[in-house]
């Protein structure tokens, strides 16, 4: 990804810590992630393309939605779930070393973007009741108000938007 490949990434996140995290509980790890990686509401935050980055992205999303934007826990829970799905897709399907997370709050809506260097488009697949995988974009489609993909000269940005009540 142009401009992100050479950036050294903070270390110290374990899978055990990721398993203990819950979107309903604001914890110090969320604030620590904000301090280590940056605020995705202010800049695009580069994250290493590793499974444990999903936990970091969830924590960053949680602290931004609840503390920075002061939105509802229910909206935070849904946003955290959808961020996890987009990050999981970026880690599993793009072959990237790094991806970017960006969040924006505008009057009446929030927008979350995950940028990666692959130009391969995600595909919304039909989901059956007993399927154990492949539900990511299905959830994004059902829980967000809009979602899409913007192709870039070097990669793409997959995004979703959700309506919010004016604060």
């Amino acid at each position: 990804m142009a401009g992100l490949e050479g950036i050294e990434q903070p270390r110290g996140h374990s899978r055990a810590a990721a398993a203990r995290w819950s979107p309903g509980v604001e914890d110090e790890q969320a604030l620590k992630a904000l301090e280590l990686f940056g605020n995705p509401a202010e800049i695009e935050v580069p994250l290493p393309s590793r499974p444990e980055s999903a936990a970091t992205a969830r924590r960053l999303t949680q602290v931004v939605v609840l503390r920075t934007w002061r939105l509802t826990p229910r909206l935070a829970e849904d946003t955290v779930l959808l961020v996890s799905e987009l990050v999981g897709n970026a880690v599993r399907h793009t072959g990237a070393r790094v991806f970017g997370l960006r969040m924006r709050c505008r009057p009446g809506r929030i927008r979350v973007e995950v940028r990666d260097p692959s130009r391969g488009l995600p595909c919304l697949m039909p989901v059956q009741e007993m399927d154990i995988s492949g539900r990511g974009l299905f959830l994004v489609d059902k829980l967000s108000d809009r979602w899409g993909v913007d192709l870039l000269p070097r990669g793409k940005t997959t995004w979703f938007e959700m309506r919010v009540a004016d604060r």
Side-chain angles (χ1 to χ4, degrees), residues 143-165:
L143 295 176
S144 69
D145 293 300
R146 292 178 356 131
W147 72 275
V149 180
D150 297 332
L151 283 175
L152 306 170
R154 291 185 175 172
K156 69 178 173 300
T157 299
T158 306
W159 55 268
F160 67 86
E161 294 180 350
M162 298 175 80
R163 276 179 257 173
V164 298

Side-chain angles (χ1 to χ4, degrees), residues 1-147:
M1 183 175 334
L4 295 180
E5 282 87 353
I7 295 175
E8 182 65 29
Q9 298 300 314
R11 305 266 183 227
H13 299 288
S14 71
R15 289 186 183 145
R20 288 191 307 266
W21 181 79
S22 167
V25 178
E26 186 174 351
D27 62 346
E28 288 186 30
Q29 290 181 343
L31 296 172
K32 185 72 169 175
L34 192 69
E35 182 181 317
L36 284 173
F37 290 93
N39 187 338
E42 296 173 358
I43 60 167
E44 181 178 287
V45 173
L47 294 170
S49 189
R50 298 190 304 245
E52 55 269 24
S53 289
T56 301
R58 288 191 297 265
R59 288 187 176 102
L60 291 170
T61 300
Q62 174 197 23
V63 75
V64 167
V65 172
L66 292 175
R67 282 195 174 216
T68 304
W69 296 340
R70 302 195 186 286
L71 299 173
T72 67
R74 172 62 188 195
L75 183 68
E77 186 176 339
D78 288 348
T79 306
V80 164
L81 173 62
L82 300 187
V83 163
S84 189
E85 296 299 338
L86 292 188
V87 167
N89 285 348
V91 170
R92 274 189 299 278
H93 301 298
T94 67
R97 288 181 35 213
V98 177
F99 65 90
L101 174 67
R102 179 86 166 123
M103 301 174 65
R104 298 169 189 203
C105 187
R106 302 237 163 74
R109 67 182 169 99
I110 63 170
R111 179 180 173 110
V112 177
E113 302 173 344
V114 174
R115 184 173 64 93
D116 65 69
S118 170
R119 289 181 53 87
L121 296 175
C123 184
L124 179 61
M125 303 294 288
V127 176
Q128 302 299 317
E129 187 175 326
M130 299 303 287
D131 289 348
I132 57 172
S133 66
R135 295 179 182 263
L137 284 179
F138 174 80
L139 291 171
V140 172
D141 188 59
K142 292 300 178 194
L143 295 176
S144 69
D145 293 300
R146 292 178 356 131
W147 72 275

